Amino acid sequence: EPQSPELTVPAYRRPMFWKSKDKGDGPSPKTLRQPLSPKPPNAADAPAVAEATEVWVPDKERVWVRGRVTRQVGRSELEVETEDGVTVAVDLARHDTLHTANPSAEQDMCSLWHMSEPAVLSNLQLRFAADQPYTYVAHLLIAVNPLKPIPDPAEVSYEGAASSAALAALPPHQFAVAERAYRALLEQPAAGGGGRQDQSIVVSGESGAGKTESAKKLLRYITWRVASAAGGTKHDRRRSVGQTHAAAALNARILDSSPIL
């Protein structure tokens, strides 16, 4: 895992290189010799986090609050100035881990430099504040209820993505999830693999999280996508008015079939 340049990594946590009798430097399980780096020192002697490092500290009201290390007091205590201007003391001897803050928000949280509970919550909060309520965790989509109308992107941008990588590079949205499911539905099975595989999209969350709205967007995209494919190849985008009305009618019939939707 890449380390932030502000962090001081203790010697006993740095990568070790081993001497082997037969093959020089390299991991040889049968002939491992003493590591070149010194033995791990006592925890009390290990260097603490460097000054100016941005970290997360626990807070009773906000759960986590961001701050910057100002100085070290003794061997295990740090002074951290929070973003509210309050100075708090952090005793490293009482905390197993001091969570380092990430330099920026990411649309896929697998790209975060530092992964922790405050890192995930902060990333979602920053994107929510920027009217970007959708965030990936690999192929999963986290949708935070924006509590206001957010314009949807154009469907054709997801339909026109040439590859899975190009689709993943587009802004996170329910349309991307629906497009992946649609493409998987049409995949030709390998030789001897049987027929095409049915696809499912699981939408889960707490009450009021926006599950119904997400389901509507998924259904709307899939019905549009089916009508779009029926109109020709992606190089021929001329659709008849009848096909557009048919997609809208199918979407309405599906939504009307369930009082919840």
Side-chain angles (χ1 to χ4, degrees):
E1 178 182 348
Q3 297 288 337
S4 175
E6 296 88 7
L7 288 180
T8 302
V9 182
Y12 62 91
R13 292 194 177 180
R14 295 175 190 153
M16 293 183 179
F17 295 91
W18 300 80
K19 284 287 186 180
S20 170
K21 276 186 174 179
D22 1 328
K23 300 183 180 180
D25 293 343
S28 178
K30 295 183 179 179
T31 57
L32 288 180
R33 293 296 178 261
Q34 294 297 323
L36 299 180
S37 57
K39 293 181 179 180
N42 296 328
D45 298 330
V49 181
E51 293 183 7
T53 300
E54 292 192 349
V55 296
W56 293 101
V57 293
D59 184 79
K60 291 183 179 180
E61 295 184 0
R62 298 165 58 184
V63 185
W64 297 99
V65 63
R66 192 176 183 131
R68 185 183 297 268
V69 177
T70 55
R71 71 188 185 103
Q72 180 173 341
V73 182
R75 289 184 173 181
S76 64
E77 187 172 306
L78 299 175
E79 282 190 358
V80 178
E81 183 180 355
T82 68
E83 56 189 2
D84 302 325
V86 179
T87 299
V88 298
V90 178
D91 189 353
L92 297 180
R94 299 178 57 187
H95 293 81
D96 294 336
T97 304
L98 186 64
H99 300 297
T100 307
N102 286 296
S104 61
E106 301 289 343
Q107 74 172 17
D108 187 343
M109 288 197 285
C110 292
S111 300
L112 292 175
W113 277 52
H114 306 283
M115 184 64 70
S116 62
E117 177 185 311
V120 170
L121 295 175
S122 172
N123 196 77
L124 294 175
Q125 183 183 36
L126 289 173
R127 291 183 58 80
F128 176 87
D131 288 341
Q132 297 173 334
Y134 309 118
T135 307
Y136 285 132
V137 180
H139 63 284
L140 303 178
L141 178 72
I142 296 180
V144 179
N145 191 338
L147 305 176
K148 63 180 180 180
I150 299 289
D152 291 325
E155 291 93 338
V156 291
S157 59
Y158 294 88
E159 180 192 17
S163 63
S164 298
L167 187 61
L170 294 173
H173 197 271
Q174 291 91 340
F175 291 172
V177 176
E179 177 64 25
R180 282 196 294 268
Y182 179 82
R183 293 183 182 187
L185 188 67
L186 299 182
E187 281 184 358
Q188 294 293 340
R196 293 175 176 171
Q197 297 295 315
D198 294 340
Q199 301 296 311
S200 299
I201 300 175
V202 179
V203 183
S204 64
E206 296 181 352
S207 177
K211 299 184 296 297
T212 301
E213 280 302 313
S214 289
K216 287 181 180 179
K217 293 178 187 291
L218 291 166
L219 289 172
R220 192 180 82 201
Y221 183 88
I222 291 173
T223 53
W224 174 88
R225 187 69 168 86
V226 170
S228 173
T233 65
K234 63 181 180 181
H235 300 292
D236 179 13
R237 293 305 177 206
R238 292 175 294 180
R239 312 279 196 274
S240 68
V241 176
Q243 290 167 341
T244 303
H245 288 170
L250 177 59
N251 181 60
R253 290 172 61 186
I254 294 175
L255 295 179
D256 290 342
S257 67
S258 172
I260 298 177
L261 297 178

